[in-house]
Amino acid sequence: MTPTSKTTACQKGCALCTTPGDFGPHNPTEPRSGLCPACVVAGKPTRDGLEQAVVIVAGQTLTGAETLDLADATPEELAYHLGAVKRSLRSLLQLLAPVAGEESR
C-alpha cells in the first residue's frame, strides 16, 4: 500500500458547484479553496451585507443578555453573557472604524 499525498487526494472540479476544472484542493480552513472563480465572486460578501449580519447577531446577543435574570444566574452564565456582549460590541465598533481606501463614510 502506498501513502497518498494531499495533492493526489484533491478532487477535480469546483467543491461547491462541481464545475469541471482544476481549482486546487479543498482546505476546510480556507473559505475559498477549491472553488471556481464564479463561486468565489458569487459568495463574496459586500460591506453592506456584512454590516447587516453583524448588527443582527449583536442584537440577538444583547436580547439574550437582557433576558438573563441576574439574581438567579450562575457565575458561568454571567461570564458567558458578558463575553458575548463584549464580542458583539467589539464587532459593532469595528464597523464604525475607518476603512482603508474610503475617504467619506
Side-chain angles (χ1 to χ4, degrees):
M1 193 182 280
T2 60
T4 58
S5 68
K6 289 183 180 180
T7 56
T8 58
C10 76
Q11 71 182 40
K12 297 294 181 188
C14 178
L16 187 62
C17 70
T18 65
T19 299
D22 186 10
F23 305 109
H26 176 67
N27 183 352
T29 60
E30 296 177 26
R32 294 184 179 93
S33 66
L35 299 181
C36 68
C39 285
V40 171
V41 170
K44 190 178 291 184
T46 63
R47 178 154 178 95
D48 290 336
L50 289 173
E51 288 175 354
Q52 288 176 337
V54 167
V55 170
I56 289 169
V57 170
Q60 292 171 344
T61 302
L62 293 175
T63 300
E66 288 173 349
T67 60
L68 181 67
D69 184 14
L70 296 178
D72 296 331
T74 64
E76 292 84 10
E77 289 174 321
L78 291 172
Y80 170 79
H81 283 288
L82 182 61
V85 168
K86 176 184 165 188
R87 287 187 299 276
S88 292
L89 291 175
R90 180 183 301 142
S91 297
L92 289 172
L93 290 174
Q94 287 174 342
L95 286 178
L96 300 174
V99 178
E102 290 188 15
E103 301 300 322
S104 62
R105 175 112 219 221

